[in-house]
Amino acid sequence: MTEQDSRALRVALVTGGAMGIGAAIAERLAMDGLHVLVADINLEAANVTAAKINASGGSAAALCMDVSDPEAIAQTFATIELDYGRCDVLINNAGIAKTYAFLDLPLDAWQKTLTTNLTSVLLCGQHAARLMLRHQWGRIVNISSVSGLRAGTGRTAYGTSKAAVIGLTRQMAIELAEHGITVNSVAPGPIDTPMTEALHSAETRLSFTNGMPMKRYGTPAEIAAAVSFLARPDASFITGHVVPVDGGFIAAGVLNI
Ligand code: NAD
């Protein structure tokens, strides 16, 4: 197979691809010429996103997958192997967030957050990388968060899971480098999605925007643009990094004279 043929057939899997940031990433990767698998716990919404991509000239299919269930992940990758024999790009995007005061955080919420946000990245990464080894080529982008780089009130479970995703990104990057697989993380700042619509109070929104030089929430498309860059064939020498896409939130200290 020539390099051009192999590129034309490239398959990208986006977890949590039905809504929010994941849907924007799925749309963007389809625009980049990849066949996109929109994998989500919500199959109905995944079907809508895949249909939208197909209607606008891209190529996509929906898959039902719960990333908190190791068996479901294994099943999905078995189906991908059977149907496509490859997975060239993996975007570990699915995640959940619920805030609790540190002293009130229930153990089951901690465990559910780590299983969904962190263990899923390990398992999807292992399955995808085994398929990527066949072509000695792959791109993995793990969606973390600025909450994995700076602490946020109420974010003991969420922030810790995202900090660990950044650590896991580095681990994966150094062991997969010799196989032509890059692994990076994009750390979004606050983005307008169904998640933040449900999670962010007026006070949270104010606290975020006050700390941001750009004084606004980002859009899912702004995250998708960074992911698209890292998934490109010519982003071949960037691995093990975390890229905040955050309107300056991580860079900022005091903002008033
Ligand atoms: P969202 O809640 O708006 O959308 C998440 C998508 O993931 C939904 O389609 C949902 O059905 C799916 N999903 C949830 N649990 C799943 C599971 N167990 N298995 C498969 N799919 C599942 O979230 P979002 O705001 O688009 O966030 C996407 C990612 O970006 C998450 O990892 C989140 O932590 C991260 N992030 C978001 C923000 C933000 O401000 N929105 C900031 C930083 C990081």
mmCIF file of all heavy atoms in Angstrom, residues 15-23 39-42 45-46 65-69 92-97 112 116-117 143-147 158 162 186-197 200 208 217 220 223, ligand 1:
data_model
loop_
_atom_site.group_PDB
_atom_site.id
_atom_site.type_symbol
_atom_site.label_atom_id
_atom_site.label_comp_id
_atom_site.label_asym_id
_atom_site.label_seq_id
_atom_site.Cartn_x
_atom_site.Cartn_y
_atom_site.Cartn_z
ATOM 1 N N THR A 15 -13.690 9.129 21.294
ATOM 2 C CA THR A 15 -14.582 8.706 22.380
ATOM 3 C C THR A 15 -15.354 9.928 22.885
ATOM 4 O O THR A 15 -14.840 11.052 22.876
ATOM 5 C CB THR A 15 -13.802 8.053 23.544
ATOM 6 O OG1 THR A 15 -13.041 9.059 24.231
ATOM 7 C CG2 THR A 15 -12.887 6.943 23.062
ATOM 8 N N GLY A 16 -16.593 9.695 23.283
ATOM 9 C CA GLY A 16 -17.443 10.816 23.697
ATOM 10 C C GLY A 16 -17.644 11.782 22.536
ATOM 11 O O GLY A 16 -17.743 12.994 22.727
ATOM 12 N N GLY A 17 -17.729 11.223 21.327
ATOM 13 C CA GLY A 17 -17.764 12.048 20.108
ATOM 14 C C GLY A 17 -19.139 12.585 19.742
ATOM 15 O O GLY A 17 -19.282 13.290 18.750
ATOM 16 N N ALA A 18 -20.156 12.266 20.538
ATOM 17 C CA ALA A 18 -21.518 12.649 20.141
ATOM 18 C C ALA A 18 -21.819 14.117 20.371
ATOM 19 O O ALA A 18 -22.595 14.728 19.640
ATOM 20 C CB ALA A 18 -22.532 11.789 20.900
ATOM 21 N N MET A 19 -21.213 14.687 21.421
ATOM 22 C CA MET A 19 -21.602 16.047 21.824
ATOM 23 C C MET A 19 -20.376 16.882 22.198
ATOM 24 O O MET A 19 -19.280 16.342 22.362
ATOM 25 C CB MET A 19 -22.529 15.973 23.042
ATOM 26 C CG MET A 19 -23.949 15.612 22.691
ATOM 27 S SD MET A 19 -24.989 15.637 24.151
ATOM 28 C CE MET A 19 -24.663 14.048 24.875
ATOM 29 N N GLY A 20 -20.603 18.147 22.369
ATOM 30 C CA GLY A 20 -19.593 19.042 22.932
ATOM 31 C C GLY A 20 -18.278 19.018 22.160
ATOM 32 O O GLY A 20 -18.243 19.044 20.925
ATOM 33 N N ILE A 21 -17.181 18.964 22.926
ATOM 34 C CA ILE A 21 -15.846 19.008 22.333
ATOM 35 C C ILE A 21 -15.624 17.815 21.410
ATOM 36 O O ILE A 21 -15.063 17.952 20.318
ATOM 37 C CB ILE A 21 -14.786 19.036 23.465
ATOM 38 C CG1 ILE A 21 -14.849 20.383 24.212
ATOM 39 C CG2 ILE A 21 -13.385 18.791 22.919
ATOM 40 C CD1 ILE A 21 -14.008 20.441 25.492
ATOM 41 N N GLY A 22 -16.083 16.629 21.821
ATOM 42 C CA GLY A 22 -15.896 15.412 21.012
ATOM 43 C C GLY A 22 -16.549 15.528 19.643
ATOM 44 O O GLY A 22 -15.975 15.101 18.636
ATOM 45 N N ALA A 23 -17.744 16.098 19.600
ATOM 46 C CA ALA A 23 -18.443 16.245 18.310
ATOM 47 C C ALA A 23 -17.674 17.196 17.399
ATOM 48 O O ALA A 23 -17.543 16.955 16.192
ATOM 49 C CB ALA A 23 -19.867 16.745 18.544
ATOM 50 N N ALA A 39 -17.728 7.406 18.802
ATOM 51 C CA ALA A 39 -18.045 6.405 19.832
ATOM 52 C C ALA A 39 -18.565 7.112 21.072
ATOM 53 O O ALA A 39 -17.924 8.030 21.582
ATOM 54 C CB ALA A 39 -16.799 5.603 20.182
ATOM 55 N N ASP A 40 -19.725 6.686 21.540
ATOM 56 C CA ASP A 40 -20.323 7.393 22.690
ATOM 57 C C ASP A 40 -21.249 6.452 23.443
ATOM 58 O O ASP A 40 -21.788 5.497 22.879
ATOM 59 C CB ASP A 40 -21.111 8.612 22.184
ATOM 60 C CG ASP A 40 -21.228 9.705 23.239
ATOM 61 O OD1 ASP A 40 -22.041 9.538 24.183
ATOM 62 O OD2 ASP A 40 -20.516 10.721 23.121
ATOM 63 N N ILE A 41 -21.443 6.747 24.710
ATOM 64 C CA ILE A 41 -22.400 5.985 25.521
ATOM 65 C C ILE A 41 -23.828 6.287 25.047
ATOM 66 O O ILE A 41 -24.739 5.490 25.242
ATOM 67 C CB ILE A 41 -22.213 6.358 27.019
ATOM 68 C CG1 ILE A 41 -22.865 5.340 27.935
ATOM 69 C CG2 ILE A 41 -22.653 7.759 27.317
ATOM 70 C CD1 ILE A 41 -22.483 5.517 29.401
ATOM 71 N N ASN A 42 -24.002 7.446 24.421
ATOM 72 C CA ASN A 42 -25.306 7.877 23.907
ATOM 73 C C ASN A 42 -25.336 7.643 22.392
ATOM 74 O O ASN A 42 -24.906 8.487 21.604
ATOM 75 C CB ASN A 42 -25.498 9.363 24.247
ATOM 76 C CG ASN A 42 -26.845 9.893 23.823
ATOM 77 O OD1 ASN A 42 -27.504 9.313 22.964
ATOM 78 N ND2 ASN A 42 -27.249 10.996 24.425
ATOM 79 N N ALA A 45 -27.367 10.143 20.083
ATOM 80 C CA ALA A 45 -26.658 11.407 19.798
ATOM 81 C C ALA A 45 -25.463 11.158 18.870
ATOM 82 O O ALA A 45 -25.157 11.989 18.007
ATOM 83 C CB ALA A 45 -26.200 12.059 21.095
ATOM 84 N N ALA A 46 -24.796 10.015 19.032
ATOM 85 C CA ALA A 46 -23.662 9.687 18.151
ATOM 86 C C ALA A 46 -24.137 9.523 16.710
ATOM 87 O O ALA A 46 -23.464 9.950 15.765
ATOM 88 C CB ALA A 46 -22.970 8.417 18.637
ATOM 89 N N MET A 65 -20.327 2.922 22.834
ATOM 90 C CA MET A 65 -19.267 2.424 23.724
ATOM 91 C C MET A 65 -19.288 3.211 25.030
ATOM 92 O O MET A 65 -19.261 4.436 25.026
ATOM 93 C CB MET A 65 -17.891 2.564 23.062
ATOM 94 C CG MET A 65 -16.754 2.195 24.009
ATOM 95 S SD MET A 65 -15.126 2.037 23.238
ATOM 96 C CE MET A 65 -14.718 3.720 22.886
ATOM 97 N N ASP A 66 -19.303 2.469 26.133
ATOM 98 C CA ASP A 66 -19.184 3.079 27.458
ATOM 99 C C ASP A 66 -17.730 2.932 27.883
ATOM 100 O O ASP A 66 -17.264 1.829 28.164
ATOM 101 C CB ASP A 66 -20.123 2.353 28.438
ATOM 102 C CG ASP A 66 -19.978 2.855 29.874
ATOM 103 O OD1 ASP A 66 -19.125 3.728 30.129
ATOM 104 O OD2 ASP A 66 -20.725 2.355 30.738
ATOM 105 N N VAL A 67 -17.003 4.036 27.948
ATOM 106 C CA VAL A 67 -15.560 3.947 28.252
ATOM 107 C C VAL A 67 -15.269 3.554 29.698
ATOM 108 O O VAL A 67 -14.124 3.285 30.043
ATOM 109 C CB VAL A 67 -14.791 5.252 27.911
ATOM 110 C CG1 VAL A 67 -14.881 5.602 26.441
ATOM 111 C CG2 VAL A 67 -15.227 6.408 28.794
ATOM 112 N N SER A 68 -16.304 3.525 30.542
ATOM 113 C CA SER A 68 -16.069 3.095 31.929
ATOM 114 C C SER A 68 -16.182 1.580 32.069
ATOM 115 O O SER A 68 -16.028 1.045 33.167
ATOM 116 C CB SER A 68 -17.045 3.795 32.883
ATOM 117 O OG SER A 68 -18.353 3.312 32.693
ATOM 118 N N ASP A 69 -16.452 0.891 30.938
ATOM 119 C CA ASP A 69 -16.653 -0.559 30.961
ATOM 120 C C ASP A 69 -15.553 -1.236 30.108
ATOM 121 O O ASP A 69 -15.602 -1.191 28.882
ATOM 122 C CB ASP A 69 -18.053 -0.861 30.395
ATOM 123 C CG ASP A 69 -18.327 -2.351 30.289
ATOM 124 O OD1 ASP A 69 -17.420 -3.163 30.577
ATOM 125 O OD2 ASP A 69 -19.461 -2.692 29.898
ATOM 126 N N ASN A 92 -8.908 10.305 22.934
ATOM 127 C CA ASN A 92 -9.530 9.959 24.218
ATOM 128 C C ASN A 92 -10.157 11.223 24.782
ATOM 129 O O ASN A 92 -9.498 12.002 25.467
ATOM 130 C CB ASN A 92 -8.467 9.407 25.175
ATOM 131 C CG ASN A 92 -8.142 7.960 24.889
ATOM 132 O OD1 ASN A 92 -9.039 7.110 24.804
ATOM 133 N ND2 ASN A 92 -6.863 7.653 24.732
ATOM 134 N N ASN A 93 -11.438 11.402 24.456
ATOM 135 C CA ASN A 93 -12.128 12.643 24.837
ATOM 136 C C ASN A 93 -13.203 12.444 25.904
ATOM 137 O O ASN A 93 -13.461 13.358 26.687
ATOM 138 C CB ASN A 93 -12.748 13.256 23.568
ATOM 139 C CG ASN A 93 -13.777 14.315 23.894
ATOM 140 O OD1 ASN A 93 -13.439 15.444 24.235
ATOM 141 N ND2 ASN A 93 -15.066 13.945 23.826
ATOM 142 N N ALA A 94 -13.818 11.261 25.954
ATOM 143 C CA ALA A 94 -14.954 11.068 26.874
ATOM 144 C C ALA A 94 -14.520 11.356 28.306
ATOM 145 O O ALA A 94 -13.450 10.934 28.739
ATOM 146 C CB ALA A 94 -15.493 9.646 26.768
ATOM 147 N N GLY A 95 -15.349 12.077 29.018
ATOM 148 C CA GLY A 95 -15.020 12.371 30.411
ATOM 149 C C GLY A 95 -16.250 12.867 31.137
ATOM 150 O O GLY A 95 -17.219 13.330 30.517
ATOM 151 N N ILE A 96 -16.184 12.743 32.458
ATOM 152 C CA ILE A 96 -17.281 13.237 33.293
ATOM 153 C C ILE A 96 -16.717 14.181 34.353
ATOM 154 O O ILE A 96 -15.544 14.090 34.704
ATOM 155 C CB ILE A 96 -18.050 12.087 33.980
ATOM 156 C CG1 ILE A 96 -17.099 11.168 34.760
ATOM 157 C CG2 ILE A 96 -18.871 11.292 32.968
ATOM 158 C CD1 ILE A 96 -17.800 10.180 35.678
ATOM 159 N N ALA A 97 -17.578 15.058 34.846
ATOM 160 C CA ALA A 97 -17.146 15.997 35.886
ATOM 161 C C ALA A 97 -18.297 16.255 36.833
ATOM 162 O O ALA A 97 -19.421 16.509 36.398
ATOM 163 C CB ALA A 97 -16.696 17.310 35.250
ATOM 164 N N LYS A 112 -15.597 6.418 40.223
ATOM 165 C CA LYS A 112 -16.255 6.530 38.913
ATOM 166 C C LYS A 112 -15.510 7.538 38.022
ATOM 167 O O LYS A 112 -15.327 7.326 36.818
ATOM 168 C CB LYS A 112 -17.709 6.965 39.110
ATOM 169 C CG LYS A 112 -18.498 6.909 37.844
ATOM 170 C CD LYS A 112 -19.978 7.077 38.042
ATOM 171 C CE LYS A 112 -20.654 6.942 36.684
ATOM 172 N NZ LYS A 112 -21.803 7.796 36.521
ATOM 173 N N THR A 116 -13.715 6.473 34.521
ATOM 174 C CA THR A 116 -14.196 7.047 33.249
ATOM 175 C C THR A 116 -13.145 7.940 32.596
ATOM 176 O O THR A 116 -12.947 7.886 31.377
ATOM 177 C CB THR A 116 -15.483 7.872 33.506
ATOM 178 O OG1 THR A 116 -16.425 7.057 34.193
ATOM 179 C CG2 THR A 116 -16.084 8.368 32.200
ATOM 180 N N ASN A 117 -12.468 8.760 33.406
ATOM 181 C CA ASN A 117 -11.570 9.770 32.819
ATOM 182 C C ASN A 117 -10.146 9.272 32.611
ATOM 183 O O ASN A 117 -9.439 9.784 31.747
ATOM 184 C CB ASN A 117 -11.504 11.005 33.724
ATOM 185 C CG ASN A 117 -12.825 11.757 33.788
ATOM 186 O OD1 ASN A 117 -13.816 11.325 33.220
ATOM 187 N ND2 ASN A 117 -12.836 12.865 34.489
ATOM 188 N N ILE A 143 -7.541 14.090 25.875
ATOM 189 C CA ILE A 143 -8.084 15.379 26.317
ATOM 190 C C ILE A 143 -8.016 15.429 27.842
ATOM 191 O O ILE A 143 -8.686 14.651 28.531
ATOM 192 C CB ILE A 143 -9.544 15.581 25.839
ATOM 193 C CG1 ILE A 143 -9.633 15.419 24.302
ATOM 194 C CG2 ILE A 143 -10.052 16.953 26.282
ATOM 195 C CD1 ILE A 143 -8.784 16.377 23.486
ATOM 196 N N SER A 144 -7.189 16.322 28.341
ATOM 197 C CA SER A 144 -7.072 16.491 29.802
ATOM 198 C C SER A 144 -7.868 17.732 30.178
ATOM 199 O O SER A 144 -9.041 17.862 29.814
ATOM 200 C CB SER A 144 -5.605 16.561 30.215
ATOM 201 O OG SER A 144 -4.925 17.597 29.534
ATOM 202 N N SER A 145 -7.253 18.669 30.880
ATOM 203 C CA SER A 145 -7.960 19.882 31.305
ATOM 204 C C SER A 145 -6.961 20.810 31.995
ATOM 205 O O SER A 145 -5.970 20.338 32.573
ATOM 206 C CB SER A 145 -9.070 19.520 32.298
ATOM 207 O OG SER A 145 -9.603 20.691 32.897
ATOM 208 N N VAL A 146 -7.278 22.097 32.002
ATOM 209 C CA VAL A 146 -6.475 22.994 32.839
ATOM 210 C C VAL A 146 -6.609 22.588 34.315
ATOM 211 O O VAL A 146 -5.726 22.874 35.119
ATOM 212 C CB VAL A 146 -6.858 24.490 32.658
ATOM 213 C CG1 VAL A 146 -6.442 24.983 31.283
ATOM 214 C CG2 VAL A 146 -8.335 24.740 32.925
ATOM 215 N N SER A 147 -7.690 21.882 34.642
ATOM 216 C CA SER A 147 -7.865 21.393 36.023
ATOM 217 C C SER A 147 -6.868 20.290 36.366
ATOM 218 O O SER A 147 -6.748 19.912 37.536
ATOM 219 C CB SER A 147 -9.289 20.876 36.243
ATOM 220 O OG SER A 147 -10.216 21.918 36.088
ATOM 221 N N TYR A 158 -11.953 15.132 39.715
ATOM 222 C CA TYR A 158 -11.792 15.523 38.311
ATOM 223 C C TYR A 158 -10.359 15.999 38.023
ATOM 224 O O TYR A 158 -9.698 15.532 37.080
ATOM 225 C CB TYR A 158 -12.797 16.624 37.972
ATOM 226 C CG TYR A 158 -12.749 17.084 36.547
ATOM 227 C CD1 TYR A 158 -13.263 16.288 35.521
ATOM 228 C CD2 TYR A 158 -12.191 18.317 36.205
ATOM 229 C CE1 TYR A 158 -13.214 16.718 34.208
ATOM 230 C CE2 TYR A 158 -12.139 18.744 34.894
ATOM 231 C CZ TYR A 158 -12.654 17.946 33.894
ATOM 232 O OH TYR A 158 -12.600 18.358 32.587
ATOM 233 N N LYS A 162 -7.414 14.279 35.680
ATOM 234 C CA LYS A 162 -6.848 14.954 34.509
ATOM 235 C C LYS A 162 -5.323 15.131 34.646
ATOM 236 O O LYS A 162 -4.595 15.056 33.651
ATOM 237 C CB LYS A 162 -7.551 16.292 34.283
ATOM 238 C CG LYS A 162 -9.026 16.150 33.891
ATOM 239 C CD LYS A 162 -9.197 15.335 32.612
ATOM 240 C CE LYS A 162 -10.613 15.382 32.072
ATOM 241 N NZ LYS A 162 -10.754 14.663 30.792
ATOM 242 N N VAL A 186 -4.232 17.543 24.916
ATOM 243 C CA VAL A 186 -4.747 18.906 24.819
ATOM 244 C C VAL A 186 -5.509 19.181 26.114
ATOM 245 O O VAL A 186 -6.343 18.372 26.530
ATOM 246 C CB VAL A 186 -5.662 19.068 23.583
ATOM 247 C CG1 VAL A 186 -6.448 20.371 23.650
ATOM 248 C CG2 VAL A 186 -4.828 19.019 22.304
ATOM 249 N N ALA A 187 -5.172 20.287 26.760
ATOM 250 C CA ALA A 187 -5.799 20.652 28.038
ATOM 251 C C ALA A 187 -6.709 21.862 27.816
ATOM 252 O O ALA A 187 -6.230 23.003 27.794
ATOM 253 C CB ALA A 187 -4.720 20.981 29.067
ATOM 254 N N PRO A 188 -8.007 21.616 27.642
ATOM 255 C CA PRO A 188 -8.896 22.760 27.425
ATOM 256 C C PRO A 188 -9.067 23.601 28.683
ATOM 257 O O PRO A 188 -9.096 23.081 29.803
ATOM 258 C CB PRO A 188 -10.244 22.107 27.065
ATOM 259 C CG PRO A 188 -9.940 20.686 26.710
ATOM 260 C CD PRO A 188 -8.726 20.333 27.529
ATOM 261 N N GLY A 189 -9.184 24.898 28.477
ATOM 262 C CA GLY A 189 -9.722 25.781 29.505
ATOM 263 C C GLY A 189 -11.228 25.650 29.448
ATOM 264 O O GLY A 189 -11.760 24.723 28.817
ATOM 265 N N PRO A 190 -11.963 26.561 30.098
ATOM 266 C CA PRO A 190 -13.428 26.439 30.073
ATOM 267 C C PRO A 190 -13.997 26.641 28.661
ATOM 268 O O PRO A 190 -13.638 27.609 27.984
ATOM 269 C CB PRO A 190 -13.888 27.553 31.029
ATOM 270 C CG PRO A 190 -12.753 28.505 31.100
ATOM 271 C CD PRO A 190 -11.504 27.720 30.877
ATOM 272 N N ILE A 191 -14.837 25.699 28.270
ATOM 273 C CA ILE A 191 -15.404 25.677 26.908
ATOM 274 C C ILE A 191 -16.918 25.549 27.045
ATOM 275 O O ILE A 191 -17.404 24.789 27.890
ATOM 276 C CB ILE A 191 -14.867 24.438 26.132
ATOM 277 C CG1 ILE A 191 -13.324 24.374 26.149
ATOM 278 C CG2 ILE A 191 -15.401 24.414 24.697
ATOM 279 C CD1 ILE A 191 -12.592 25.494 25.491
ATOM 280 N N ASP A 192 -17.645 26.253 26.202
ATOM 281 C CA ASP A 192 -19.106 26.136 26.251
ATOM 282 C C ASP A 192 -19.551 24.818 25.630
ATOM 283 O O ASP A 192 -19.435 24.617 24.418
ATOM 284 C CB ASP A 192 -19.753 27.316 25.501
ATOM 285 C CG ASP A 192 -19.897 28.523 26.422
ATOM 286 O OD1 ASP A 192 -20.333 28.331 27.577
ATOM 287 O OD2 ASP A 192 -19.568 29.642 25.992
ATOM 288 N N THR A 193 -20.023 23.907 26.483
ATOM 289 C CA THR A 193 -20.508 22.588 26.042
ATOM 290 C C THR A 193 -21.661 22.188 26.971
ATOM 291 O O THR A 193 -21.870 22.821 28.016
ATOM 292 C CB THR A 193 -19.416 21.506 26.181
ATOM 293 O OG1 THR A 193 -19.136 21.320 27.578
ATOM 294 C CG2 THR A 193 -18.144 21.850 25.453
ATOM 295 N N PRO A 194 -22.345 21.083 26.671
ATOM 296 C CA PRO A 194 -23.376 20.600 27.609
ATOM 297 C C PRO A 194 -22.808 20.371 29.011
ATOM 298 O O PRO A 194 -23.488 20.592 30.017
ATOM 299 C CB PRO A 194 -23.844 19.286 26.970
ATOM 300 C CG PRO A 194 -23.615 19.480 25.499
ATOM 301 C CD PRO A 194 -22.364 20.318 25.405
ATOM 302 N N MET A 195 -21.504 19.968 29.104
ATOM 303 C CA MET A 195 -20.911 19.725 30.428
ATOM 304 C C MET A 195 -20.871 21.003 31.264
ATOM 305 O O MET A 195 -21.332 21.024 32.403
ATOM 306 C CB MET A 195 -19.485 19.163 30.297
ATOM 307 C CG MET A 195 -18.788 18.970 31.635
ATOM 308 S SD MET A 195 -17.037 18.548 31.489
ATOM 309 C CE MET A 195 -17.130 16.777 31.284
ATOM 310 N N THR A 196 -20.335 22.072 30.699
ATOM 311 C CA THR A 196 -20.191 23.302 31.489
ATOM 312 C C THR A 196 -21.541 23.986 31.692
ATOM 313 O O THR A 196 -21.751 24.671 32.693
ATOM 314 C CB THR A 196 -19.188 24.277 30.838
ATOM 315 O OG1 THR A 196 -19.473 24.387 29.450
ATOM 316 C CG2 THR A 196 -17.769 23.801 31.019
ATOM 317 N N GLU A 197 -22.444 23.782 30.748
ATOM 318 C CA GLU A 197 -23.805 24.313 30.905
ATOM 319 C C GLU A 197 -24.418 23.753 32.195
ATOM 320 O O GLU A 197 -25.042 24.475 32.978
ATOM 321 C CB GLU A 197 -24.647 23.885 29.684
ATOM 322 C CG GLU A 197 -26.098 24.290 29.701
ATOM 323 C CD GLU A 197 -26.291 25.781 29.471
ATOM 324 O OE1 GLU A 197 -25.503 26.360 28.729
ATOM 325 O OE2 GLU A 197 -27.235 26.340 30.071
ATOM 326 N N HIS A 200 -21.211 24.544 35.531
ATOM 327 C CA HIS A 200 -20.664 25.839 35.963
ATOM 328 C C HIS A 200 -21.762 26.795 36.427
ATOM 329 O O HIS A 200 -22.617 27.210 35.636
ATOM 330 C CB HIS A 200 -19.861 26.489 34.819
ATOM 331 C CG HIS A 200 -18.555 25.782 34.541
ATOM 332 N ND1 HIS A 200 -17.583 26.309 33.717
ATOM 333 C CD2 HIS A 200 -18.065 24.603 34.981
ATOM 334 C CE1 HIS A 200 -16.555 25.468 33.659
ATOM 335 N NE2 HIS A 200 -16.838 24.419 34.417
ATOM 336 N N PHE A 208 -13.677 31.903 36.457
ATOM 337 C CA PHE A 208 -12.851 31.519 35.296
ATOM 338 C C PHE A 208 -12.526 32.743 34.434
ATOM 339 O O PHE A 208 -11.358 32.999 34.126
ATOM 340 C CB PHE A 208 -13.574 30.481 34.434
ATOM 341 C CG PHE A 208 -13.152 29.062 34.722
ATOM 342 C CD1 PHE A 208 -14.099 28.094 35.034
ATOM 343 C CD2 PHE A 208 -11.816 28.670 34.677
ATOM 344 C CE1 PHE A 208 -13.712 26.776 35.303
ATOM 345 C CE2 PHE A 208 -11.430 27.365 34.941
ATOM 346 C CZ PHE A 208 -12.385 26.416 35.248
ATOM 347 N N TYR A 217 -15.148 32.205 27.521
ATOM 348 C CA TYR A 217 -15.050 30.763 27.344
ATOM 349 C C TYR A 217 -14.635 30.470 25.898
ATOM 350 O O TYR A 217 -14.898 31.261 24.989
ATOM 351 C CB TYR A 217 -16.403 30.100 27.636
ATOM 352 C CG TYR A 217 -16.624 29.785 29.115
ATOM 353 C CD1 TYR A 217 -16.182 30.655 30.109
ATOM 354 C CD2 TYR A 217 -17.270 28.622 29.505
ATOM 355 C CE1 TYR A 217 -16.378 30.359 31.455
ATOM 356 C CE2 TYR A 217 -17.474 28.319 30.847
ATOM 357 C CZ TYR A 217 -17.018 29.193 31.823
ATOM 358 O OH TYR A 217 -17.201 28.900 33.145
ATOM 359 N N PRO A 220 -15.852 24.660 21.262
ATOM 360 C CA PRO A 220 -15.375 23.310 20.938
ATOM 361 C C PRO A 220 -14.490 23.296 19.683
ATOM 362 O O PRO A 220 -13.500 22.561 19.628
ATOM 363 C CB PRO A 220 -16.684 22.529 20.723
ATOM 364 C CG PRO A 220 -17.662 23.222 21.622
ATOM 365 C CD PRO A 220 -17.305 24.688 21.537
ATOM 366 N N ILE A 223 -10.827 23.852 20.392
ATOM 367 C CA ILE A 223 -10.126 22.662 20.888
ATOM 368 C C ILE A 223 -9.856 21.713 19.716
ATOM 369 O O ILE A 223 -8.758 21.160 19.572
ATOM 370 C CB ILE A 223 -10.962 21.936 21.977
ATOM 371 C CG1 ILE A 223 -11.292 22.899 23.125
ATOM 372 C CG2 ILE A 223 -10.230 20.691 22.474
ATOM 373 C CD1 ILE A 223 -10.095 23.549 23.790
HETATM 374 P P1 NAD B 1 -19.892 16.890 27.450
HETATM 375 O O1 NAD B 1 -20.451 16.337 28.711
HETATM 376 O O2 NAD B 1 -20.492 18.114 26.873
HETATM 377 O O3 NAD B 1 -19.810 15.735 26.352
HETATM 378 C C1 NAD B 1 -19.206 14.518 26.718
HETATM 379 C C2 NAD B 1 -19.562 13.430 25.743
HETATM 380 O O4 NAD B 1 -19.010 12.216 26.280
HETATM 381 C C3 NAD B 1 -21.067 13.220 25.613
HETATM 382 O O5 NAD B 1 -21.390 12.945 24.269
HETATM 383 C C4 NAD B 1 -21.323 12.009 26.515
HETATM 384 O O6 NAD B 1 -22.457 11.229 26.117
HETATM 385 C C5 NAD B 1 -20.025 11.237 26.354
HETATM 386 N N1 NAD B 1 -19.755 10.330 27.474
HETATM 387 C C6 NAD B 1 -19.913 10.577 28.803
HETATM 388 N N2 NAD B 1 -19.615 9.494 29.515
HETATM 389 C C7 NAD B 1 -19.239 8.541 28.619
HETATM 390 C C8 NAD B 1 -18.825 7.192 28.738
HETATM 391 N N3 NAD B 1 -18.754 6.576 29.937
HETATM 392 N N4 NAD B 1 -18.515 6.504 27.612
HETATM 393 C C9 NAD B 1 -18.608 7.090 26.403
HETATM 394 N N5 NAD B 1 -19.017 8.354 26.224
HETATM 395 C C10 NAD B 1 -19.321 9.072 27.322
HETATM 396 O O7 NAD B 1 -18.323 17.164 27.763
HETATM 397 P P2 NAD B 1 -17.320 18.197 27.049
HETATM 398 O O8 NAD B 1 -17.405 19.479 27.770
HETATM 399 O O9 NAD B 1 -17.483 18.138 25.583
HETATM 400 O O10 NAD B 1 -15.941 17.531 27.502
HETATM 401 C C11 NAD B 1 -15.224 16.620 26.671
HETATM 402 C C12 NAD B 1 -13.875 16.352 27.311
HETATM 403 O O11 NAD B 1 -13.181 17.587 27.498
HETATM 404 C C13 NAD B 1 -13.963 15.719 28.696
HETATM 405 O O12 NAD B 1 -12.910 14.807 28.879
HETATM 406 C C14 NAD B 1 -13.801 16.899 29.627
HETATM 407 O O13 NAD B 1 -13.307 16.532 30.898
HETATM 408 C C15 NAD B 1 -12.803 17.726 28.844
HETATM 409 N N6 NAD B 1 -12.798 19.137 29.217
HETATM 410 C C16 NAD B 1 -13.889 19.915 29.046
HETATM 411 C C17 NAD B 1 -13.846 21.254 29.404
HETATM 412 C C18 NAD B 1 -15.010 22.179 29.223
HETATM 413 O O14 NAD B 1 -14.929 23.323 29.699
HETATM 414 N N7 NAD B 1 -16.089 21.780 28.558
HETATM 415 C C19 NAD B 1 -12.671 21.796 29.953
HETATM 416 C C20 NAD B 1 -11.582 20.974 30.132
HETATM 417 C C21 NAD B 1 -11.641 19.642 29.753
#
